[in-house]
Amino acid sequence: MNGNRVMRSKLLVVLALVIVCDCVIGMASSCAQRPKTTKVKRTVKHYKEVSHPTPNYNKEITNDVKGVILHHTAEPTIERSLGVLTSTKKKVGTHVVIDTDGTRYIMAAPTVVTFHAGFSYLDGREACNEFTIGIEFQGNTLEAPLTQDQIDSAIEYLLPLISKYKIPVKNIVTHEMVRNAYKERHPNKRCSGKVDITQTEYKRFMRCLRSRLNEK
């Protein structure tokens, strides 16, 4: 009787070991057959570009392209904005206007000096028109934030220019920032007090831009 019990116990132990081995082999096989995960790259949306040249630019000098100045148009419609930026009476211009759906209206090449900054100071230099690109966002950020399409479209436009011209991120600023810097240097100089991109929207834009730059 005792011998039968011992034999039964041994058989149970052997059976248990067989079951455990099968499980381990099965798990190893499953892991070996599992496909490797790959990092999915974010799809880049290519926004529409429309040529809409401005006559308001300096024909005598070339833009050094050392910085970028962000503006909002403060006009209710894209048609009004484009009208202002091509008016020979107002004599203001820019390089690109970005509508709320992300459509880019190209008004001048980056190397053209357009009239978008006025009295301004950035990175040790005055007259920012001569070395910066002007980006105008359709709308008024005091009333409504930039759309995500506007931000994404501006970044899509800027990334190759940042790379080509080696533009430092610290030189991507708002019109208000360069105007205030100028006023600090010339406290008696009268400058327009127009508010452009709010600091909230500027910081939001820069977070998105830095994130995209870090992906490269």
Side-chain angles (χ1 to χ4, degrees):
M1 291 291 291
N2 289 336
N4 289 338
R5 286 178 184 172
V6 171
M7 184 63 69
R8 257 193 248 110
S9 297
K10 288 182 178 179
L11 288 173
L12 289 172
V13 170
V14 171
L15 182 60
L17 288 172
V18 170
I19 292 171
V20 170
C21 289
D22 285 344
C23 289
V24 170
I25 292 169
M27 289 173 65
S29 176
S30 175
C31 290
Q33 295 173 6
R34 189 178 300 162
K36 293 182 179 180
T37 57
T38 56
K39 188 176 180 180
V40 179
K41 296 185 76 172
R42 180 165 52 161
T43 302
V44 177
K45 182 175 182 180
H46 296 284
Y47 289 92
K48 182 180 178 181
E49 284 193 344
V50 179
S51 177
H52 199 95
T54 179
N56 303 321
Y57 65 93
N58 190 326
K59 302 174 179 64
E60 297 178 357
I61 58 176
T62 300
N63 196 320
D64 289 340
V65 193
K66 303 296 184 184
V68 177
I69 299 180
L70 307 176
H71 311 255
H72 66 209
T73 66
E75 294 291 343
T77 65
I78 187 66
E79 291 77 16
R80 283 273 296 273
S81 297
L82 295 174
V84 169
L85 292 164
T86 54
S87 169
T88 53
K89 290 183 179 180
K90 292 185 178 293
K91 293 184 178 179
V92 292
T94 194
H95 292 87
V96 60
V97 184
I98 302 180
D99 203 357
T100 52
D101 66 353
T103 299
R104 294 192 292 269
Y105 293 84
I106 305 299
M107 308 198 89
T111 52
V112 171
V113 173
T114 63
F115 307 137
H116 63 96
F119 294 118
S120 49
Y121 178 84
L122 174 66
D123 199 26
R125 294 178 64 177
E126 295 186 4
C128 293
N129 287 335
E130 297 179 6
F131 62 96
T132 63
I133 295 169
I135 295 179
E136 292 271 356
F137 292 106
Q138 169 56 31
N140 188 335
T141 56
L142 293 170
E143 299 173 356
L146 299 172
T147 67
Q148 192 59 47
D149 279 326
Q150 284 180 304
I151 291 175
D152 291 343
S153 180
I155 292 173
E156 185 176 277
Y157 169 79
L158 275 178
L159 286 179
L161 299 181
I162 290 171
S163 176
K164 180 177 180 178
Y165 296 104
K166 305 296 186 291
I167 300 172
V169 174
K170 68 180 180 63
N171 283 1
I172 301 174
V173 295
T174 70
H175 188 185
E176 186 177 22
M177 291 164 70
V178 295
R179 183 175 58 244
N180 287 346
Y182 180 88
K183 288 166 70 174
E184 287 179 7
R185 292 173 60 81
H186 303 278
N188 297 323
K189 189 78 173 182
R190 187 175 179 181
C191 301
S192 169
K194 175 179 174 287
V195 177
D196 254 291
I197 300 292
T198 64
Q199 282 297 298
T200 297
E201 288 306 289
Y202 169 65
K203 290 174 182 175
R204 176 179 163 226
F205 175 83
M206 294 305 293
R207 282 196 299 270
C208 292
L209 176 60
R210 287 191 176 94
S211 176
R212 289 294 305 277
L213 287 169
N214 288 335
E215 289 178 4
K216 295 184 72 177

